[in-house]
Amino acid sequence: MTGVTVVDHPLVARHLSVLRDKATPSSDFRRRLSDISMLLLFEALRDLRVREDAIETPLETTGGMRLADEIVVIAILRAGLGMTDGALRLIPEARVGHLGLYRDEESLQPVGYYESIPRHAADAEVVVVDPMLATGGSAVSALDRLKRDVAGRLRFVCLVAAPEGLAAVREHHPDVPVFCAAIDRELDERGYIRPGLGDAGDRIFGTE
Ligand code: PRP
Ligand code: URA
């Protein structure tokens, strides 16, 4: 699908397998999610713009580089919190914003309850993170919100995507590239991704 990159790497596949396993406890789930997030963001940020910069080594001056743009990571709560630690290990200077959204269990529509978005992010590279892209309602709502007030160059990074969620993001935000570790088979009648990994927020925080 145009604009969708499935990050194809044995380490990503291994981390994802452990995350899918229902026997993986929350402590391991959090660590694996942090590690796989680094790998996914590494790929998602491959085309960051850079600026040349002279560097003084202990011996001489040489050509170096710096990132041309500020990076802003926006985590969709709660489960996106599980990806911010990995994002910050990769890009320690990034600023982090939060959008609180939960899915209504009946309608599956996203309900907003909190937001904290870094100011002056209009020229930044903005990476929205959430492990699960199911119906796509939460992702589309988050991207709508960010386009309204923040702008910047947006990308969406998730772990597992359902075909329905990808189609929704492509339809509403065709300009936003999506990166994931896997595209799963389908959504079930309760809006869960199959085979999926269950409720990501519950597995991160042990709230099952
Ligand atoms: C999960 C997940 C996404 C959303 C995906 O969050 O983290 O935000 O569902 O579903 P969608 O594509 O159909 O919108 P949830 O609503 O369970 O909240 P939580 O992260 O607080 O558990
Ligand atoms: N949210 C989750 O955490 N898991 C799913 O399978 C779907 C939505």
Side-chain angles (χ1 to χ4, degrees):
M1 195 182 279
T2 332
V4 177
T5 302
V6 180
V7 179
D8 182 16
H9 191 291
L11 294 177
V12 170
R14 176 58 193 150
H15 285 312
L16 180 58
S17 298
V18 177
L19 290 164
R20 286 192 193 277
D21 188 340
K22 68 178 185 185
T24 301
S26 288
S27 52
D28 293 349
F29 193 95
R30 283 193 292 271
R31 192 166 41 82
R32 291 276 179 175
L33 179 56
S34 175
D35 289 345
I36 198 173
S37 300
M38 283 182 74
L39 300 175
L40 294 174
L41 267 88
F42 182 77
E43 187 58 35
L45 297 173
R46 181 175 286 283
D47 64 349
L48 283 182
R49 298 187 294 200
V50 297
R51 203 178 288 148
E52 285 181 16
D53 195 19
I55 300 293
E56 296 291 336
T57 79
L59 301 176
E60 62 179 64
T61 304
T62 189
M65 55 75 75
R66 61 173 65 219
L67 297 180
D69 302 295
E70 187 187 11
I71 316 283
V72 170
V73 176
I74 302 285
I76 300 181
L77 304 180
R78 290 176 298 165
L81 284 177
M83 299 178 73
T84 49
D85 168 65
L88 286 171
R89 282 197 285 151
L90 193 66
I91 325 140
E93 63 273 39
R95 291 196 289 161
V96 180
H98 299 93
L99 283 177
L101 293 172
Y102 72 87
R103 276 199 323 180
D104 179 88
E105 282 185 11
E106 295 295 320
S107 68
L108 300 183
Q109 292 305 304
V111 181
Y113 60 88
Y114 179 75
E115 59 179 58
S116 163
I117 300 172
R119 296 172 61 182
H120 312 303
D123 297 325
E125 295 282 352
V126 181
V127 191
V128 183
V129 295
D130 187 337
M132 308 308 274
L133 179 61
T135 65
S138 304
V140 168
S141 164
L143 293 169
D144 285 345
R145 172 72 192 85
L146 293 168
K147 279 187 178 172
R148 207 162 57 236
D149 264 15
V150 180
R153 282 172 299 283
L154 291 159
R155 327 168 182 229
F156 186 83
V157 180
C158 60
L159 198 57
V160 180
E164 294 87 338
L166 284 174
V169 174
R170 298 316 298 152
E171 182 190 340
H172 294 277
H173 297 287
D175 55 317
V176 177
V178 177
F179 298 83
C180 61
I183 301 175
D184 274 11
R185 191 179 65 244
E186 62 187 358
L187 286 184
D188 68 15
E189 66 288 349
R190 292 190 306 142
Y192 276 88
I193 301 174
R194 298 292 183 119
L197 50 76
D199 186 306
D202 283 347
R203 297 205 58 194
I204 294 167
F205 297 110
T207 45
E208 266 166 289

